């Protein structure tokens, strides 16, 4: 039977529902600009006995959208890392308009040889030729150092990423345990769920992940290659950084749970690719260019002697590396023959390797034959290693041009992919926010409503109080 | 549960991202307008960077080649003018010798004229340009023809006269030399002093080969003469024989034999000089052709490079205007939307 006291009970229930909902609205407004916050709503349900009870807290979430966002984030972060590294690798070759680009300096060396050929007795031209060759060797040294520093940076990034991943997995354990135990108030539970999602979003930047929800809202994390990252407890992720990376030394692999890690998305995978594939190919190309220079300027006397290094030497060695075989690190070791600065005419006459290698038969000051052969050799085909990823039988000038072109082509493709990956990530993020995000206007409108209903409930209580007072008045 | 809504965070994020993207593209467009080239060439053309690099290298080489060929052309001009002077010298000596043949005091006239001409020949063959001896062949650092008085050549010639004719040219008994003996000596004894071996040994430091001028990747041209050549040997022989053998006391028949032989050698020299000039002229023509083709090729290559690298300034300006309009619109909308909040109306 509906009595005054039940009216009072309903009014009290109404008050507490309104207060609970307003507190949630306030919480939502506070978390409006937090990208990892999910909107909470309070559902009003009716308990047995007819009394409406408040707030079952509902946290809006969508696992499918979250999975899509994780995949898109991993792809975008990975593409961005690859593009940044490729931009730096491209700068190794330089802008084609610049006189200091590798291609321009190589063509400039041929021009200097032709200048010397036109006036072989000129010491000025010979010295200029040796100086330009020295500049070219220095450019190749610097380019090789740049490529290795890019590799070193990638190695550092891998170390930082593994540390980040390990820390995030530890945090995930704490949040996951809280969710699975189910202890604590619904508000605390919702906070732990937010925490978990936040960790997953941050994790997906570094490493491509897939999640599986099991009994009791327990979440297990796997890499997109299938290696277990987290299952009740976090798995160990180990990596040994290499203090000094040089051409020809490979870095260490990342191991998760003992298994070697391999993936295509996320920063970790991108940095591994930069360190182990992208940068070493460019290094090989530089080494092949340096080897081509040593071989081009090599001397063999009247043709019958063993070829020996001429103007360009491989470090301290006087031998000429064989065609078509990569010498790792040659570009860093390339130097000008020590005898060249003292006697630049050795380029014209031959004789760096000893008196038997002199090609100028009578010491004529206008000996053109060797210089004529040298200037033609820049355009003749020679054998290059297929490991460089370019043509195997092509002139040294064309090879250098192809190397510059292939880095730019990779950069072009990576830029397009990075743009589209970033766009996909933005779309996925927006889609998820549409479901879980807070609209301040909505919350404000809700508060207006709640204010009204609170006032109404209070009015009801006041009315019932007046009715009871009238009754007691009548009884006295 | 709502089916259609926008979160405030998504709103502000997308507005910020849009404005940022427009600003980046605006900066890029400004750079393109200023330089006339694509802001990021590699990103735009990708692999074709290798072609552009090759073209630019060729353009730089063509510039250097044109400078080299101009220098070679100037050197050839200097050779030509020296050879023209030598031709004039031959003609004037021939005139003097023809006049002196019959005259009474002709011997002194002939001897002095020949001596002076030999000095002038030496000086003409020692013409330099840009620090090189143009008639030195492959040895452009040593004087091509050694100065005659006091040289090994003079000593050798004196020795040849002594052994061939039996008596020195300054000896009074020289007058007894017959025409036949003189002719025989001129054909054999003296001629041996001017054959190639003796020429290289005593007279000239020049080489038989001359330097080649590179025209393009494949071809070279030759546009010089060397003091080693036969024409100069004959010229020097004629002048030497007159200056040594046309002594005051030599008999008339012997004198005439010397003059006749000298005149015939000078005639051959004249032809030879003409041939040398023609050869150099041919080389010069090839050099001019190479200069013209280098500049034509440079024009074509610059056009190809521009086609790849250049941006149309009108298109860039239009793009800048459009971006600025868009940016202004996005700023206006952003400020208006941020004012659209229920908070202001409560």
């Amino acid at each position: 039977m509906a009595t005054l006291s039940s009216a009072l009970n309903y009014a009290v229930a109404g008050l507490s529902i309104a207060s609970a909902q307003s507190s949630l609205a306030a919480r939502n407004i506070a978390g409006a600009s937090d990208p990892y916050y999910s909107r909470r709503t309070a559902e009003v349900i009716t308990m047995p006995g007819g009394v409406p009870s408040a707030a079952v807290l509902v946290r809006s979430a969508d696992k499918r959208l979250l999975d899509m966002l994780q995949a898109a984030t991993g792809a975008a972060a990975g593409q961005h890392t690859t593009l940044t590294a490729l931009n730096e690798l491209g700068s190794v070759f330089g802008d084609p308009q610049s006189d200091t680009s590798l291609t321009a300096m190589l063509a400039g060396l041929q021009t200097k040889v032709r200048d010397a050929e036109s006036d072989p007795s000129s010491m000025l031209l010979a010295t200029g030729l040796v100086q330009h060759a020295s500049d070219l060797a220095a450019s190749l040294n610097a380019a090789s150092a740049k490529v290795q520093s890019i590799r070193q940076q990638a190695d550092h990034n891998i170390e930082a990423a593994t540390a980040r991943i390990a820390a995030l997995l530890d945090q995930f354990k704490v949040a996951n345990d809280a969710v699975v135990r189910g202890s604590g108030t619904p508000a605390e539970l919702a906070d732990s769920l937010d925490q978990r999602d936040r960790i997953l979003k941050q994790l997906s930047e570094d490493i491509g992940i897939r999640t599986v929800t099991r009994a009791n809202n327990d979440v297990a994390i796997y890499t997109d290659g299938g290696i277990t990252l987290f299952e009740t407890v976090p798995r160990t992720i180990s990596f040994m950084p290499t203090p000094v990376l040089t051409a020809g030394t490979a870095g260490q692999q990342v191991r998760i749970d003992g298994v070697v890690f391999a993936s295509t998305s996320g920063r970790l995978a991108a940095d591994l690719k930069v360190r182990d594939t992208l940068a070493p190919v460019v290094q090989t190309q530089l080494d092949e260019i340096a080897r081509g220079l040593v071989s081009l300027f090599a001397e063999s006397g009247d043709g019958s002697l063993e070829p020996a290094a001429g103007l360009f030497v491989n470090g301290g060695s006087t031998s000429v590396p064989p065609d078509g075989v990569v010498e790792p690190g040659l570009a860093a070791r390339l130097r000008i023959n020590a005898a060249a600065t003292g006697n630049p005419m050795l380029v014209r006459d031959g004789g760096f390797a000893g008196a038997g290698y002199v090609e100028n038969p009578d010491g004529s000051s206008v000996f053109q034959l060797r210089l004529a052969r040298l200037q033609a050799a820049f355009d003749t085909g020679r054998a290059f290693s297929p490991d460089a990823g370019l043509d195997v039988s092509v002139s040294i000038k064309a090879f250098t041009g192809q190397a510059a072109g292939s880095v730019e082509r990779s950069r072009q493709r990576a830029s397009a992919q990075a743009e589209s990956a970033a766009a996909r990530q933005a779309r996925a993020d927006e889609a998820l926010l549409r479901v879980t995000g807070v609209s301040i206007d909505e919350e404000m409108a809700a508060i207006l409503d709640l204010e009204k209903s609170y006032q109404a409930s209070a009015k009801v209580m006041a009315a019932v109080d007046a009715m009871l007072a009238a009754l007691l008045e009548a009884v006295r | 549960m709502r089916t259609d809504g926008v979160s405030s965070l998504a709103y502000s994020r997308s507005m910020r991202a849009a404005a940022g993207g427009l600003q980046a593209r605006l900066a890029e467009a400004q750079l393109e307008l200023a330089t006339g080239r694509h802001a990021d060439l590699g990103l735009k053309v990708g692999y074709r960077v290798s072609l552009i690099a090759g073209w630019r290298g060729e353009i730089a080489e063509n510039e250097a080649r044109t400078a080299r060929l101009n220098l070679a052309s100037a050197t050839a001009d200097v050779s030509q003018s020296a050879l023209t002077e030598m031709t004039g010298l031959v003609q004037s000596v021939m005139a003097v010798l023809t006049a002196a043949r019959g005259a009474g005091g002709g011997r002194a006239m002939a001897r002095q004229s020949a001596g002076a001409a030999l000095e002038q020949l030496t000086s003409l063959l020692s013409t330099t340009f840009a620090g090189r001896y143009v008639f030195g062949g492959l040895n452009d650092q040593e004087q091509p023809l050694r100065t005659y008085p006091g040289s090994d050549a003079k000593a050798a010639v004196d020795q040849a006269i002594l052994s061939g004719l039996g008596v020195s040219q300054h000896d009074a008994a020289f007058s007894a030399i017959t025409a036949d003996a003189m002719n025989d000596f001129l054909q054999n004894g003296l001629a041996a002093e001017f054959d190639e071996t003796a020429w290289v040994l005593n007279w000239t430091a020049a080489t038989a080969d001359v330097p080649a001028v590179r025209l393009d990747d494949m071809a070279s041209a030759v546009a010089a003469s060397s003091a080693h050549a036969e024409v100069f040997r004959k010229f020097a022989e004629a002048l030497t024989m007159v200056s040594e053998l046309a002594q005051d006391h030599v008999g008339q028949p012997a004198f005439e034999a010397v003059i006749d032989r000298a005149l015939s050698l000078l005639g051959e020299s004249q032809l030879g000089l003409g041939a040398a000039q023609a050869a150099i002229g041919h080389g010069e023509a090839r050099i001019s052709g190479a200069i013209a083709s280098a500049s034509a090729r440079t024009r074509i290559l610059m056009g190809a490079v521009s086609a790849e690298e250049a941006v149309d300034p009108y298109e860039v300006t239009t793009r800048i205007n459009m971006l600025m309009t868009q940016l202004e619109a996005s700023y206006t909308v952003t400020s208006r939307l941020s004012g659209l909040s229920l908070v202001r109306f409560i």
Side-chain angles (χ1 to χ4, degrees):
Chain A
M1 184 181 102
T3 62
L4 275 181
S5 55
S6 73
L8 211 50
N9 284 339
Y10 289 145
V12 167
L15 284 179
S16 69
I17 287 170
S19 350
Q21 283 180 325
S22 338
S23 99
L24 268 186
R27 175 79 184 89
N28 281 341
I29 290 172
S33 50
D34 181 355
Y36 302 115
Y37 176 81
S38 284
R39 201 178 78 249
R40 325 255 196 262
T41 43
E43 279 186 3
V44 180
I45 57 170
T46 304
M47 302 289 280
V51 177
S53 169
V56 173
L57 187 129
V58 174
R59 176 180 167 275
S60 46
D62 189 320
K63 177 158 196 326
R64 198 177 56 89
L65 288 178
L66 185 61
D67 287 344
M68 277 171 53
L69 177 61
Q70 282 163 10
T73 308
Q79 293 292 351
H80 182 77
T81 307
T82 311
L83 179 63
T84 314
L86 279 173
N87 282 342
E88 287 199 47
L89 283 172
S91 79
V92 159
F93 287 97
D95 185 345
Q97 190 185 38
S98 156
D99 285 338
T100 52
S101 68
L102 275 178
T103 43
M105 290 200 76
L106 193 62
L109 187 62
Q110 188 187 29
T111 301
K112 291 272 189 264
V113 171
R114 284 174 170 159
D115 281 346
E117 187 201 10
S118 75
D119 190 0
S121 60
S122 163
M123 184 56 89
L124 192 65
L125 290 176
T127 321
L129 167 61
V130 168
Q131 239 158 25
H132 190 96
S134 173
D135 290 343
L136 177 56
S139 289
L140 278 169
N141 297 151
S144 174
K146 183 99 198 276
V147 170
Q148 291 310 315
S149 83
I150 291 171
R151 284 187 77 207
Q152 194 74 58
Q153 184 61 46
D155 202 67
H156 284 149
N157 291 347
I158 293 168
E159 191 189 359
T162 45
R164 270 200 308 272
I165 292 169
L168 284 171
L169 287 176
D170 286 339
Q171 289 172 17
F172 193 82
K173 172 155 173 52
V174 172
N176 196 45
D177 284 349
V179 171
V180 167
R181 275 198 312 269
S183 59
T185 65
E188 286 169 3
L189 199 58
D191 282 341
S192 294
L193 285 168
D194 271 356
Q195 180 92 304
R196 236 174 35 169
D197 283 354
R198 173 184 68 80
I199 295 167
L200 286 175
K201 283 180 195 168
Q202 288 178 335
L203 205 52
S204 65
E205 282 183 25
D206 281 320
I207 186 172
I209 55 174
R210 278 203 321 257
T211 53
V212 170
T213 315
R214 309 190 300 182
N216 284 334
N217 214 352
D218 180 24
V219 164
I221 311 177
Y222 303 93
T223 68
D224 55 8
I227 310 172
T228 316
L229 266 176
F230 180 94
E231 198 188 342
T232 320
V233 287
R235 300 290 188 258
T236 44
I237 176 167
S238 63
F239 171 72
M240 187 69 75
T242 317
V244 178
L245 272 176
T246 54
T249 52
Q252 296 292 330
Q253 290 301 318
V254 174
R255 282 185 164 14
I256 302 177
D257 217 13
V259 181
V260 172
F261 165 70
S263 171
T264 50
S265 84
R267 286 199 202 113
L268 191 58
D271 278 319
L272 281 167
K273 186 163 173 220
V274 166
R275 189 196 68 181
D276 296 335
T277 312
L278 294 178
V281 164
V282 175
Q283 179 66 45
T284 306
Q285 290 167 355
L286 291 174
D287 289 335
E288 282 292 280
I289 294 170
R291 189 187 56 68
L293 280 172
V294 174
S295 152
L296 202 157
F297 279 88
E299 311 176 321
S300 53
D302 56 1
S304 62
L305 297 173
E306 185 73 25
L311 179 60
F312 284 100
V313 291
N314 173 9
S317 154
T318 54
S319 67
V320 178
D323 274 349
V325 175
V326 180
E327 287 264 330
L330 217 186
R333 293 194 299 269
L334 188 71
R335 299 281 184 278
I336 294 295
N337 197 313
T341 34
N343 185 5
M345 288 305 175
L346 283 172
V347 183
R348 175 194 74 192
D349 297 335
F352 280 108
Y357 285 88
V358 173
E359 293 177 36
N360 188 353
D362 43 16
S364 155
S365 65
V366 187
F367 180 65
Q368 284 178 322
L369 281 179
R370 179 166 161 74
L371 289 169
R373 235 186 30 243
L374 283 175
Q375 66 85 30
F378 280 85
D379 294 315
T380 352
R382 50 189 65 246
F384 290 102
S385 164
D387 292 344
L390 307 170
D391 280 354
V392 291
S393 177
V394 76
S395 79
I396 192 173
K397 270 164 61 182
F399 184 84
T400 313
Q402 281 179 11
S406 92
V407 168
E408 296 297 341
R409 181 178 56 192
S410 304
R411 198 158 76 86
Q412 200 182 33
R413 273 184 22 227
S415 170
Q417 282 169 344
E419 244 183 81
S420 73
R424 271 203 303 280
Q425 187 198 8
R427 285 287 146 274
D429 195 31
E430 210 183 292
L432 186 62
L433 274 178
R434 209 174 275 254
V435 172
T436 66
V438 173
S439 169
I440 293 186
D441 291 337
E442 236 184 79
E443 303 300 323
M444 293 302 305
I447 286 187
L448 288 178
D449 277 345
L450 290 169
E451 219 183 311
K452 288 288 180 293
S453 77
Y454 194 88
Q455 281 173 353
S457 295
K459 272 279 188 296
V460 165
M461 284 179 68
V464 169
D465 182 47
M467 284 192 257
L468 282 173
L471 189 63
L472 287 173
E473 192 68 44
V475 167
R476 187 162 330 140
Chain B
M1 159 78 162
R2 58 181 186 186
T3 54
D4 181 29
V6 180
S7 87
S8 314
L9 187 59
Y11 234 33
S12 57
R13 252 193 205 168
S14 65
M15 288 192 298
R16 270 205 314 267
L22 286 174
Q23 280 168 340
R25 281 161 61 195
L26 192 59
E28 219 179 75
Q30 272 184 313
L31 185 63
E32 288 187 1
L33 196 62
T35 60
R37 299 171 73 218
H38 288 298
D40 193 333
L41 187 63
L43 212 55
K44 195 80 187 164
V45 301
Y47 192 69
R48 290 207 297 283
V49 156
S50 63
L51 294 176
I52 295 172
W55 294 334
R56 283 197 174 272
E58 223 187 303
I59 290 169
E61 164 61 22
N62 278 346
E63 271 177 44
R65 173 169 297 156
T66 307
R68 289 195 291 265
L69 290 176
N70 282 332
L71 182 61
S73 185
T75 312
D77 284 342
V78 166
S79 300
Q80 282 283 37
S81 82
L83 286 173
T84 311
E85 277 195 58
M86 282 184 224
T87 311
L89 187 63
V90 165
Q91 283 160 353
S92 72
V93 170
M94 280 175 83
V96 166
L97 291 184
T98 318
R101 190 174 187 278
R107 288 170 177 72
M109 195 167 62
R111 197 173 60 244
Q112 279 155 8
S113 157
L118 189 57
E119 267 181 50
Q120 203 172 350
L121 175 65
T122 310
S123 129
L124 280 172
L125 281 177
S126 306
T127 313
T128 60
F129 184 70
R132 304 147 75 175
Y133 285 107
V134 299
F135 289 102
L138 293 185
N139 184 0
D140 61 3
Q141 298 302 307
E142 270 190 77
Q143 188 173 328
L145 198 64
R146 301 193 185 108
T147 314
Y148 182 66
S151 67
D152 293 342
K154 167 108 172 87
V157 165
D158 286 344
Q159 181 61 38
I161 293 172
L162 197 56
S163 52
L165 295 173
V167 60
S168 155
Q169 65 268 32
H170 299 295
D171 199 318
F174 200 66
S175 50
I177 306 289
T178 62
D180 286 336
M182 184 61 82
N183 269 327
D184 180 60
F185 169 65
L186 291 174
Q187 307 278 9
N188 301 315
L190 191 61
E193 286 307 314
F194 291 92
D195 70 3
E196 206 176 333
T197 346
W199 187 245
V200 168
L201 187 63
N202 292 325
W203 288 87
T204 186
T207 60
D209 295 324
V210 287
V213 175
R214 175 156 299 283
L215 298 177
D216 60 28
D217 288 357
M218 297 281 137
S220 300
V222 162
S225 280
S226 169
H228 189 281
E230 200 182 350
V231 55
F232 303 111
R233 276 195 270 139
K234 290 192 177 146
F235 199 172
E237 188 180 346
L239 296 177
T240 312
M241 77 176 53
V242 172
S243 78
E244 292 295 343
L245 298 173
Q247 299 294 341
D248 289 333
H249 48 257
V250 79
Q252 185 63 20
F255 178 61
E256 284 176 9
V258 169
I259 297 292
D260 287 340
R261 175 101 175 116
L263 283 172
S264 111
L265 282 174
L266 286 173
E268 285 174 30
S269 304
Q270 198 173 17
L271 289 175
L273 285 171
Q277 279 192 303
I280 293 182
H282 178 63
E284 275 186 301
R286 289 182 71 193
I287 290 174
S288 315
I291 293 174
S293 86
S295 85
R297 183 136 174 93
T298 301
R299 263 200 314 277
I300 295 173
L301 289 172
M302 294 260 22
V305 168
S306 296
E308 292 287 345
E309 286 190 357
V311 284
D312 180 7
Y314 299 116
E315 186 262 323
V316 176
T317 321
T318 314
R319 188 158 25 113
I320 289 180
N321 287 336
M322 198 181 69
L323 284 169
M324 282 174 62
T325 317
Q326 272 181 291
L327 203 54
E328 278 170 19
S330 114
Y331 286 152
T332 316
V333 166
T334 307
S335 78
R336 304 240 350 239
L337 282 180
S338 66
L340 263 180
S341 170
L342 201 52
V343 180
R344 296 205 6 232
F345 297 102
I346 295 180

